[in-house]
Amino acid sequence: MPADLSDLMLLPIDRTGGEPLLRQVYRELRRAILSGALPPGGKLPPTRALAERLGVARNTVVAAYEQLLAEGFIEGRVGAGSFVSCDLPDGLEISPPEPPRQMPSPPPPANPFGTLPFSTGRCALDERSLRIWRSLTLRHLQRPDPEMLGYGEPGGPAALRQAIARYLKTARAVRCEPEQVVITAGAQQAIDLVLRVLLRPGDPVWLEDPCYPAVRAALEAARARVVPVPVDGQGLEVAAGVAAAPDARLAYVTPSSHYPLGVVLSMARRMELLAWARAAGAWVLEDDYDSEFRYAGRPLASLQGIDGGGRVIYVGTFSKVLFPGLRLGYAVLPPELLDPVLTMRRLTDWHPATLYTGVVTDFLEEGHFGPHLRRMRRRYTTARDALADAIRGHLSPWMEAEVPEQGMKLIARLRPGLSDRDVEAVAARRGIAVRPVSPMHIAVPPLQALMLGFTGHEPGALRHAARELAAALAAARLDV
């Protein structure tokens, strides 16, 4: 028996695993060819003989040969049999894949954006808004616009951009034309596009400290040099940023409601920040992620609206005001950044999803959005107050609540001696999703506090969760 035939007769076949026999025969034949055990021009055994030796059906071997033939590994010669292809290049051997690198890490915490009590970023399901949404969706599906089901423009549909521009001018004092609005798959994509266009590896970027973790990760992915700038009761300490990196390329800020602490950037600091950006030729990226939810007075005007130098890039989202599954955000760009960002958009996902843009446009243009926001503010105010009362009534031995005037979350500062990570672990064992604030710090001494979401949760559920957490902390003996 020729040596090559003997080798094939010893193909390792595993009958105890779940891999199909056809796949195993094909893989081992290919491996013999790629390793040189079967050289170019070498003859393969007849399918019947190989099937009998391996103890498999002949059809299994025939199918494996046919797959190798289709891929060019073997060739058939009429009346002579099957042979290893002579057209394969030398040195084709494929090395076995390296095993995946093991990355030891602790078990992930409960999803902060999930459904557990105190999870953040949740939106209440408003029955009236849902009925309107269903009606608008049905209208568009019954008479679909061809543009809704086809490829779109990189910036998004003109009608939606016009509607968003009108809304932002009225509600947020943003100064823009519809052409400056770019529709994105949420705020995170808008931020990513801007970073791709503006930053080169090593560019210094001011980042609030503590910070929004997803933006820090995006900056690190862009290989920017993160410059942590402390935040105090008036927001970003601009003077500290100037001292640390006066030549920064970009400053990322959440001026209407700092993430995570919730403080508002004072007017003096806003003017100081804009003056630095103009003098340094830098850009300011304003993330206005939940500004619609202000519970005392009117929503604050945007930073972009007082920028006379065209240095502010404004980013917003419908994830917080409608629902996250919509995946719809937007950026308002200074004119000189519009073409570069649209070019980058074409190179990534080309254009936003078009199926629901008509529904969102009608929701805005037909006057449904304003009443929806007013209903949400009333519900969220009730939920916020219920959570604050529950903390005072059940959790005061361990923490003190800071009742926010805006936003979707509450910061509970822990009593001295307590660790927010320890409290997170205790809460997770009870199915409660508190989020520690200390990991969001970069350079400043970390604050031991918890971020507790109250939107999208019923007041009774919040009160029950507070009692459960108190019982868990008492049982764990996390005393101050």
Side-chain angles (χ1 to χ4, degrees):
M1 182 181 293
D4 55 347
L5 183 57
S6 298
D7 291 341
L8 287 176
M9 291 302 188
L10 298 176
L11 290 179
I13 299 296
D14 181 9
R15 300 178 186 277
T16 62
E19 187 178 14
L21 295 176
L22 166 60
R23 182 68 185 174
Q24 295 185 56
V25 173
Y26 158 79
R27 186 190 63 235
E28 295 303 326
L29 287 171
R30 189 183 68 167
R31 180 176 297 170
I33 294 171
L34 292 173
S35 66
L38 277 176
K43 185 178 180 180
L44 275 70
T47 56
R48 189 182 304 276
L50 183 57
E52 291 177 354
R53 180 67 178 86
L54 296 177
V56 301
R58 184 189 177 200
N59 287 342
T60 299
V61 178
V62 170
Y65 277 28
E66 289 175 347
Q67 182 67 28
L68 292 167
L69 179 66
E71 294 177 356
F73 286 103
I74 67 176
E75 56 191 30
R77 300 175 189 174
V78 178
S82 299
F83 297 80
V84 178
S85 175
C86 294
D87 295 332
L88 296 176
D90 295 334
L92 194 61
E93 180 176 357
I94 297 178
S95 302
E98 295 182 1
R101 184 175 58 174
Q102 297 297 317
M103 301 290 287
S105 60
N111 179 10
F113 304 108
T115 59
L116 297 179
F118 304 146
S119 56
T120 58
R122 287 180 52 79
C123 299
L125 295 178
D126 181 67
E127 285 300 324
R128 183 173 179 182
S129 294
L130 286 176
R131 286 197 301 271
I132 295 170
W133 192 267
R134 283 193 292 266
S135 176
L136 295 175
T137 301
L138 183 60
R139 176 202 299 175
H140 281 273
L141 290 178
Q142 286 177 331
R143 299 188 304 274
D145 186 331
E147 293 185 1
M148 183 181 74
L149 301 177
Y151 291 104
E153 294 297 320
L160 180 56
R161 289 155 60 194
Q162 291 168 0
I164 291 175
R166 279 193 286 268
Y167 163 71
L168 292 177
K169 288 177 182 179
T170 302
R172 306 294 301 120
V174 171
R175 299 191 293 183
C176 69
E177 299 301 323
E179 294 75 19
Q180 294 175 251
V181 178
V182 175
I183 310 301
T184 61
Q188 192 68 26
Q189 188 192 34
I191 293 168
D192 179 69
L193 287 170
V194 169
L195 298 186
R196 288 171 182 260
V197 167
L198 289 183
L199 299 182
R200 294 171 299 182
D203 279 348
V205 176
W206 291 6
L207 184 60
E208 297 164 324
D209 190 5
C211 68
Y212 179 40
V215 169
R216 181 181 181 183
L219 289 171
E220 291 172 348
R223 293 188 291 169
R225 179 167 67 87
V226 173
V227 180
V229 181
V231 171
D232 62 15
Q234 297 186 61
L236 184 82
E237 295 185 21
V238 179
V242 173
D247 59 342
R249 175 70 167 160
L250 177 72
Y252 170 85
V253 292
T254 51
S256 296
S257 177
H258 169 259
Y259 193 101
L261 301 182
V263 299
V264 175
L265 187 65
S266 69
M267 183 56 66
R269 294 276 178 85
R270 292 177 185 229
M271 301 308 296
E272 190 179 0
L273 177 62
L274 294 175
W276 164 77
R278 287 193 296 270
W283 300 97
V284 177
L285 182 53
E286 177 182 10
D287 188 348
D288 210 28
Y289 64 100
D290 65 0
S291 62
E292 289 85 357
F293 298 121
R294 184 166 176 81
Y295 310 112
R298 291 179 56 82
L300 302 174
S302 66
L303 179 65
Q304 192 266 7
I306 61 173
D307 173 26
R311 309 308 301 175
V312 176
I313 303 156
Y314 180 90
V315 169
T317 180
F318 288 102
S319 294
K320 304 296 189 294
V321 292
L322 290 176
F323 47 92
L326 185 61
R327 302 312 306 140
L328 194 66
Y330 50 86
V332 177
L333 301 169
E336 64 186 279
L337 294 182
L338 188 59
D339 285 344
V341 169
L342 291 178
T343 299
M344 183 61 67
R345 180 62 178 277
R346 291 186 185 96
L347 297 175
T348 53
D349 66 341
W350 193 349
H351 64 86
T354 57
L355 185 58
Y356 277 108
T357 54
V359 178
V360 178
T361 302
D362 290 350
F363 199 83
L364 291 169
E365 292 290 86
E366 295 179 8
H368 306 301
F369 192 52
H372 168 81
L373 288 179
R374 289 191 290 272
R375 291 193 297 272
M376 292 299 98
R377 289 190 194 108
R378 289 194 294 269
R379 291 182 63 170
Y380 293 168
T381 299
T382 301
R384 178 202 63 176
D385 294 345
L387 176 55
D389 290 343
I391 291 174
R392 286 190 289 265
H394 302 288
L395 291 166
S396 58
W398 299 276
M399 64 192 71
E400 181 179 8
E402 296 181 1
V403 182
E405 293 185 351
Q406 66 283 320
M408 304 173 70
K409 59 193 181 300
L410 176 152
I411 296 297
R413 294 177 181 254
L414 299 182
R415 303 297 184 188
L418 289 178
S419 161
D420 55 8
R421 289 180 179 270
D422 290 345
V423 176
E424 177 193 28
V426 170
R429 291 196 289 269
R430 288 288 183 106
I432 299 172
V434 304
R435 195 169 185 188
V437 172
S438 64
M440 302 179 196
H441 291 69
I442 306 174
V444 299
L447 173 68
Q448 298 298 320
L450 304 175
M451 180 189 295
L452 307 177
F454 54 83
T455 62
H457 302 284
E458 292 300 321
L462 294 171
R463 287 189 285 265
H464 177 75
R467 291 193 296 268
E468 286 288 304
L469 180 56
L473 292 174
R477 299 185 182 277
L478 290 185
D479 300 321
V480 297

